[in-house]
Amino acid sequence: TWKMGRHGTGTAIDHRFEFFMQKPKSINGQAPSIPVIVFMRGQLIHAYTRIYFEDEAILNASDGVIQSVPPARRQTLIAHKTDEGYEFNIYMQGEHETVFFAI
């Protein structure tokens, strides 16, 4: 289930991190999103991003944060619906690098 606050994790057998939580609800017509802070060994500063959901396209289109990202990069903030829930991949660098925010 989803709880605000700090979440730690371990590594799954296939070298993936998995989190299990409920999708947040829209509040006051804002797009539901999950704030994410990434920090790992070898990284000198925290990286900040958000997870949005592909089945909230109407609310995403009116969200000021996601709309501040160039259209070609917005997909790096979108979790995709699967049979098990949603999947969201974070890429720290490269062609599909996730958008990170300066906070």
Side-chain angles (χ1 to χ4, degrees), residues 64-77 99 101:
V65 174
I66 197 168
Q67 294 303 311
S68 72
V69 174
R73 303 275 329 274
R74 290 180 191 157
Q75 284 295 27
T76 71
L77 300 175
V99 169
F101 300 100

Side-chain angles (χ1 to χ4, degrees), residues 16-35:
R16 299 169 68 89
F17 294 103
E18 295 180 328
F19 296 90
F20 298 92
M21 61 186 71
Q22 292 179 352
K23 177 181 161 186
K25 297 185 184 314
S26 172
I27 299 174
N28 298 325
Q30 294 182 332
S33 64
I34 299 172

Side-chain angles (χ1 to χ4, degrees), residues 63-98:
D63 184 90
V65 174
I66 197 168
Q67 294 303 311
S68 72
V69 174
R73 303 275 329 274
R74 290 180 191 157
Q75 284 295 27
T76 71
L77 300 175
I78 305 292
H80 300 283
K81 190 118 171 95
T82 69
D83 291 338
E84 291 86 33
Y86 293 90
E87 181 175 337
F88 181 75
N89 297 304
I90 296 175
Y91 295 91
M92 297 304 293
Q93 60 186 7
E95 180 182 348
H96 303 290
E97 180 180 351
T98 301

